Amino acid sequence: MQQRRFGKTNRNITEIGLGTWQLGTKWGEPFNHEEAMRILETTYETGINFIDTADIYNDGNSEKAIGEFIKKYPDYFYIVTKCGRGLRPHNEEGYTAQNMEKFIDGSLKRMGLERLDMVLLHCPPPSIYKNDELFAGMERIKKSGKIADYGVSIETVSEGLQAMEYPISAMEVIFNMFRLKPLEELFPVAKSKDVGIIARVPLASGLLTGKYTKDTKFGENDHRTYNRNGESFDKGETFSGVDYSLGLQAVEELKKLFGTDDLVPYALKWILMHDAVSTVIPGASRKEQVISNVRACEIPELSKSQMDGVTEIYNKYIRNSVHNLW
């Protein structure tokens, strides 16, 4: 597994990581601890050393499982967790350094750690990216030794550009073949400021696997059922904000471009063709998906015609409906 330097943290992390939003379970279904441990063991066996989680994932069970697992392999994994979405209500008034430190203390306890490698503010309200007091507080928490580095998980390019006015070390952003806008300004600025980039939602909630059809049914408690129009949280988190039917049309064109019905390795490889990206974090609800994800490291670099083809498909089907929103 190839590694990349993670921005100003100066740590080396694997170019494929593990996202744990639905660790050990399908979206909306009960947490399965045994399956989570199988996924984590497979993550280690395939050479992945980067895990992304959050305090709210599976009501804290993702962090607990990760904490239990990494005791077997001390100092091997680099763990990123996120905080802030646990605020009730989730609003700008709640984003104080004191509240963030409480969340950080909770993550430390659940994972049995004395210091977190990285903590990200978890898609906070837009006004937070101009909150000098909060970011000064994050610096104080860093100096206290509870966190080694901090950054942000963003919804929009403009948020990311604002966040980089502060001394953040990393940023998590939706980036995939259906979300090209970060290439224009965000990535060049991140490279110039040595900010690590974590590419999230790399498969557009599964659309870019190539496995879905117009007849595919998702569970009642799956965000791909109840959040297609942003009913519960940002619409861009579900299918990257792309209309499902339109996305299926674009996927058929991508299958023709790459000559396969299995787009997973190509979708991930496309992301890794951009050197601003430090790592990409596909999720897994079973261990076989981890193995499928790492296949992206085994295929050759994409050709110019393939890269251009992705852009052409994006421009034809996707750009008009998503490009200016995020």
Side-chain angles (χ1 to χ4, degrees):
M1 176 72 66
Q2 291 193 3
Q3 298 190 357
R4 299 186 179 194
R5 180 175 169 275
F6 191 28
K8 65 182 69 169
T9 71
N10 216 28
R11 296 281 297 273
N12 290 323
I13 58 174
T14 48
E15 60 184 15
I16 300 286
L18 176 71
T20 64
W21 185 0
Q22 78 278 27
L23 178 66
T25 182
K26 293 182 179 180
W27 274 305
E29 294 186 2
F31 181 73
N32 185 323
H33 182 268
E34 291 73 22
E35 188 62 41
M37 300 309 281
R38 284 191 287 269
I39 289 168
L40 291 167
E41 190 66 53
T42 304
T43 297
Y44 174 76
E45 291 171 353
T46 54
I48 293 171
N49 75 354
F50 186 90
I51 298 176
D52 172 87
T53 189
D55 54 5
I56 62 167
Y57 288 173
N58 290 301
D59 295 322
N61 285 311
S62 288
E63 283 190 338
K64 289 177 182 178
I66 290 165
E68 177 184 339
F69 180 75
I70 61 177
K71 287 181 173 63
K72 296 171 59 178
Y73 307 103
D75 302 321
Y76 177 80
F77 287 99
Y78 187 100
I79 311 294
V80 169
T81 193
K82 299 184 287 294
C83 68
R85 298 299 294 192
L87 288 168
R88 297 291 184 269
H90 182 251
N91 57 27
E92 61 181 296
E93 288 78 16
Y95 272 86
T96 65
Q98 183 179 15
N99 282 341
M100 296 307 106
E101 188 164 13
K102 289 179 181 177
F103 288 133
I104 288 167
D105 288 341
S107 292
L108 287 168
K109 182 177 180 180
R110 281 185 291 275
M111 290 192 280
L113 297 171
E114 294 183 358
R115 184 176 72 165
L116 300 176
D117 293 321
M118 172 75 69
V119 66
L120 306 177
L121 301 179
H122 196 174
C123 298
S127 60
I128 294 308
Y129 297 100
K130 297 180 181 179
N131 188 328
D132 294 349
E133 185 176 344
L134 174 61
F135 284 93
M138 296 302 292
E139 279 292 312
R140 289 194 297 272
I141 297 170
K142 177 178 177 179
K143 289 177 180 177
S144 77
K146 291 184 178 182
I147 60 176
D149 287 288
Y150 68 93
V152 294
S153 181
I154 63 171
E155 296 288 5
T156 68
V157 165
S158 62
E159 291 172 350
L161 294 172
Q162 290 175 347
M164 285 190 286
E165 295 298 314
Y166 299 100
I168 64 171
S169 297
M171 180 185 307
E172 197 166 285
V173 57
I174 296 177
F175 180 58
N176 57 49
M177 292 194 288
F178 286 170
R179 186 73 75 85
L180 272 58
K181 188 174 181 178
L183 290 170
E184 295 174 355
E185 189 175 359
L186 188 72
F187 283 8
V189 173
K191 287 180 67 175
S192 71
K193 292 179 177 286
D194 203 18
V195 172
I197 293 289
I198 305 164
R200 67 186 185 94
V201 196
L203 300 174
S205 307
L207 251 182
L208 287 168
T209 64
K211 298 176 182 178
Y212 298 163
T213 70
K214 62 180 177 61
D215 298 318
T216 300
K217 301 296 183 184
F218 302 100
E220 180 182 355
N221 296 319
D222 189 320
H223 72 101
R224 293 171 293 187
T225 296
Y226 67 76
N227 193 59
R228 292 194 183 189
N229 295 304
E231 292 91 338
S232 295
F233 44 83
D234 192 279
K235 178 182 175 181
E237 300 282 350
T238 302
F239 301 130
S240 295
V242 174
D243 174 79
Y244 185 69
S245 296
L246 189 64
L248 289 177
Q249 294 179 53
V251 163
E252 289 306 308
E253 295 296 318
L254 289 168
K255 288 179 179 180
K256 295 174 185 176
L257 175 66
F258 292 107
T260 180
D261 287 337
D262 180 11
L263 290 177
V264 173
Y266 296 94
L268 298 179
K269 190 70 171 186
W270 179 87
I271 293 170
L272 294 173
M273 292 293 292
H274 300 91
D275 62 3
V277 173
S278 306
T279 188
V280 56
I281 51 167
S285 58
R286 49 192 174 83
K287 67 177 187 178
E288 289 79 11
Q289 291 174 331
V290 178
I291 296 170
S292 174
N293 293 338
V294 300
R295 288 179 51 218
C297 300
E298 301 168 0
I299 64 174
E301 290 195 352
L302 304 186
S303 67
K304 185 178 185 302
S305 63
Q306 289 173 323
M307 296 296 289
D308 290 345
V310 171
T311 302
E312 290 170 6
I313 292 168
Y314 173 82
N315 288 339
K316 179 179 179 181
Y317 291 96
I318 307 299
R319 174 182 282 270
N320 287 343
S321 60
V322 307
H323 199 80
N324 292 326
L325 297 180
W326 293 281

